[in-house]
């Protein structure tokens, strides 16, 4: 049973605009959330994270928002750049050990 | 910088062969993980280990086993490879220090094809 869901398999955005990637989860015990970015033929790389005690975390062009009541988080990329084109995975943890990953959203940023 | 290395980037094996995938990390991390990534299915956890000689099943352990004899090395074993085990295999490690305990560092992956 998928506990972390990314319902949009793909997203296309123009360069310079905002990219918004969404993630929903079902397990209310999750206390930490992460976003990973993955290029083809490479391992995922950590992008940004947020603890459940916060509702926003920002790092440069990347901001993650958490809405615990809706069990929803989103990743905002502003402004989007062609190099941001990749697959983005949302992940959640309730133990500090294993991460539960979503199926990923493929982002394409067009010039 | 954390470095997680995997023994092969690409591997082709025949059905029924025993396959070993090796992973080494150089950051003295306690936790190590094996995932497989398939199109439309995301990353699925096969096994993880939180200490030497300790292992826990993940979501899809069937057909796999693991070995962790040393802290820095975590091996995934396909006892008898089958075509449905054709996939990208990803190894990861993480620390148990509270402030670091959630972030996992991934290796480059091994693309395994079973024919």
């Amino acid at each position: 049973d998928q506990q972390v869901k990314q319902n949009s398999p793909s997203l296309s955005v123009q360069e310079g605009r905002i990219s918004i990637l969404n993630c929903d989860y079902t397990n209310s015990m999750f206390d930490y959330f992460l976003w990973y970015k993955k290029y083809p033929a490479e391992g995922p790389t950590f992008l940004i994270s947020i603890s459940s005690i916060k509702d926003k975390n920002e790092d440069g062009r990347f901001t993650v928002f958490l809405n615990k009541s809706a069990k929803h988080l989103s990743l905002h990329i502003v402004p989007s750049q062609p190099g941001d084109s990749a697959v983005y995975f949302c992940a959640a943890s309730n133990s500090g050990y294993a991460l539960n990953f979503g199926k990923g959203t493929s982002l394409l940023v067009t010039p | 910088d954390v470095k997680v290395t995997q023994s092969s980037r690409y591997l082709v094996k025949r059905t029924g062969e025993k396959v070993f995938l090796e992973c080494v990390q150089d950051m003295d991390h306690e936790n190590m993980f094996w995932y497989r990534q398939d199109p439309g299915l995301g990353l699925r956890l096969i096994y993880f280990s939180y200490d030497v000689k300790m292992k826990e099943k993940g979501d899809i352990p069937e057909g796999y086993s693991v070995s962790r004899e040393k802290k820095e090395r975590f091996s995934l074993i396909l006892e008898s490879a089958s075509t449905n085990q054709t996939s990208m295999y990803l190894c990861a490690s993480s620390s148990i220090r509270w402030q670091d305990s959630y972030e996992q560092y991934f290796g480059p992956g091994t693309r395994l094809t079973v024919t």
Side-chain angles (χ1 to χ4, degrees):
Chain A
D1 191 28
Q2 194 88 16
Q3 298 186 73
V4 177
K5 298 176 183 179
Q6 294 177 257
N7 293 319
S8 298
S10 63
L11 177 67
S12 183
V13 171
Q14 272 193 317
E15 182 178 5
R17 302 276 185 134
I18 183 170
S19 294
I20 301 176
L21 294 93
N22 293 304
C23 179
D24 297 295
Y25 61 95
T26 57
N27 189 341
S28 58
M29 298 299 292
F30 287 146
D31 59 1
Y32 205 81
F33 304 88
L34 306 88
W35 284 94
Y36 280 82
K37 176 180 180 180
K38 186 181 185 297
Y39 292 117
E42 293 184 14
T45 55
F46 170 74
L47 197 56
I48 192 169
S49 62
I50 188 167
S51 162
S52 60
I53 62 173
K54 296 185 176 182
D55 56 17
K56 178 182 174 181
N57 189 27
E58 199 168 350
D59 184 1
R61 297 185 298 114
F62 302 92
T63 303
V64 56
F65 295 92
L66 176 62
N67 182 334
K68 281 196 301 181
S69 61
K71 294 192 180 70
H72 176 84
L73 65 155
S74 61
L75 173 68
H76 292 211
I77 306 173
V78 185
S80 302
Q81 299 172 354
D84 295 329
S85 297
V87 177
Y88 289 78
F89 291 99
C90 171
S93 174
N94 67 347
S95 65
Y97 289 119
L99 294 176
N100 292 270
F101 282 87
K103 294 183 179 181
T105 296
S106 179
L107 173 66
L108 177 64
V109 180
T110 56
Chain B
D1 265 359
V2 175
K3 192 154 187 189
V4 180
T5 57
Q6 295 183 228
S7 49
S8 305
R9 293 299 302 272
Y10 300 94
L11 209 53
V12 180
K13 295 292 181 180
R14 292 184 181 254
T15 301
E17 279 193 84
K18 191 168 187 175
V19 182
F20 292 86
L21 302 182
E22 303 284 338
C23 175
V24 177
Q25 50 93 5
D26 66 358
M27 278 300 292
D28 201 36
H29 282 171
E30 292 78 9
N31 303 324
M32 295 189 75
F33 308 84
W34 276 105
Y35 295 89
R36 62 178 282 178
Q37 184 200 359
D38 300 289
L41 296 177
L43 275 73
R44 294 180 293 167
L45 181 66
I46 304 171
Y47 267 97
F48 70 97
S49 168
Y50 51 89
D51 201 353
V52 175
K53 296 191 186 296
M54 305 303 290
K55 61 187 179 185
E56 292 284 342
K57 292 180 180 179
D59 299 319
I60 50 165
E62 296 79 20
Y64 303 94
S65 61
V66 290
S67 172
R68 191 159 180 210
E69 297 296 319
K70 293 185 178 181
K71 189 176 185 180
E72 68 272 16
R73 189 178 296 268
F74 192 34
S75 303
L76 179 70
I77 304 150
L78 286 66
E79 297 291 342
S80 177
S82 64
T83 54
N84 63 12
Q85 292 179 308
T86 292
S87 185
M88 168 71 89
Y89 289 88
L90 293 158
C91 175
S93 71
S94 70
S95 168
I96 62 170
R97 289 187 300 272
W98 181 84
Q99 65 272 29
D100 298 332
S101 65
Y102 297 90
E103 183 180 338
Q104 294 182 14
Y105 298 84
F106 283 84
T110 296
R111 171 69 65 184
L112 172 68
T113 302
V114 182
T115 62

